[in-house]
Amino acid sequence: MPQTEARKILKDAPIMWRRINSIGIILDCNSTYASKLGYAKTEILGRTIFEHVPKDAWEAMNDSLKTWFETGNVTDREITFKKQDGSTFPGILHAVSLYDEKKNLLGSNTVIFDLTELNDKKIKEFEDYFKEAKEKLDEIKKSEYNNLDENSKSEYEGLKKMFDMLVTTDLRSLKK
């Protein structure tokens, strides 16, 4: 997928981010997602989201997908994730739907927080990043949004919706 200016905000972001299609196939992810799971990005793209959770977490992931289909988003969903080496970590998943210009569902933007790393310093890093990302998106809206093609506008709208959700998420309440 081509990198829009909006998508570049996610490239080396501190959050684990992935985009899936409407049937749970990973279309894109950032370097944080890939490295946290211990894969090269090329090993992730085109794979199902179920490959990154242990078998005993498939039901939770399936419930998350069901909620997403029914409501268009998922927040504060605790799911265990599996790294390539077989080790696992508890994560909190947030997802928002991504639509095309005709409002057809394309997939979702999903962010995962590793609960083992969710301390005050990391939360501050996330909050600063969310604020900075929203500012960059606001600048894109002002300076180039009207010149974007429909796919880029859809990309922008999906990321804007995701960051609007993340800015309002109380990460401190998620800490274990």
Side-chain angles (χ1 to χ4, degrees):
M1 291 185 137
Q3 288 281 331
T4 63
E5 286 304 309
R7 174 100 51 98
K8 288 178 184 176
I9 293 169
L10 294 164
K11 186 175 184 294
D12 295 313
I15 57 172
M16 294 174 64
W17 168 83
R18 72 178 179 210
R19 169 159 302 138
I20 65 170
N21 67 11
S22 60
I23 59 170
I25 303 299
I26 300 170
L27 302 175
D28 200 4
C29 68
N30 67 357
S31 59
T32 305
Y33 183 88
S35 66
K36 179 68 184 170
L37 294 174
Y39 291 93
K41 187 174 173 176
T42 56
E43 295 174 296
I44 292 173
L45 303 184
R47 304 288 186 164
T48 173
I49 57 175
F50 290 94
E51 290 188 35
H52 300 138
V53 296
K55 221 171 206 151
D56 62 357
W58 284 7
E59 186 175 341
M61 183 61 81
N62 200 47
D63 289 346
S64 176
L65 274 175
K66 185 178 178 200
T67 299
W68 171 57
F69 285 135
E70 292 171 355
T71 67
N73 63 51
V74 177
T75 57
D76 301 339
R77 183 63 56 112
E78 189 164 346
I79 296 178
T80 301
F81 288 86
K82 180 178 72 174
K83 299 179 183 184
Q84 185 178 36
D85 67 9
S87 64
T88 61
F89 64 93
I92 294 287
L93 181 143
H94 286 73
V96 294
S97 292
L98 177 65
Y99 300 95
D100 67 13
E101 67 277 0
K102 294 180 179 131
K103 304 299 180 207
N104 296 311
L105 179 67
L106 295 174
S108 81
N109 282 313
T110 304
V111 173
I112 298 156
F113 299 100
D114 180 345
L115 286 175
T116 65
E117 297 177 345
L118 209 54
N119 57 40
D120 289 338
K121 181 180 177 185
K122 196 69 166 173
I123 288 169
K124 174 79 169 110
E125 179 185 1
F126 289 147
E127 289 171 343
D128 290 347
Y129 167 71
F130 298 157
K131 182 180 176 195
E132 182 182 313
K134 276 193 56 83
E135 288 170 1
K136 286 181 182 175
L137 287 169
D138 289 345
E139 184 56 39
I140 290 169
K141 182 75 167 189
K142 288 179 197 169
S143 66
E144 61 186 87
Y145 184 83
N146 291 333
N147 297 324
L148 296 176
D149 63 28
E150 291 305 318
N151 287 336
S152 297
K153 284 181 180 178
S154 175
E155 168 96 13
Y156 171 89
E157 295 300 333
L159 291 173
K160 174 91 171 83
K161 187 174 168 185
M162 181 183 82
F163 281 106
D164 286 345
M165 175 190 61
L166 291 172
V167 165
T168 62
T169 300
D170 180 7
L171 294 175
R172 284 170 180 71
S173 72
L174 303 177
K175 281 192 334 186
K176 294 278 176 182

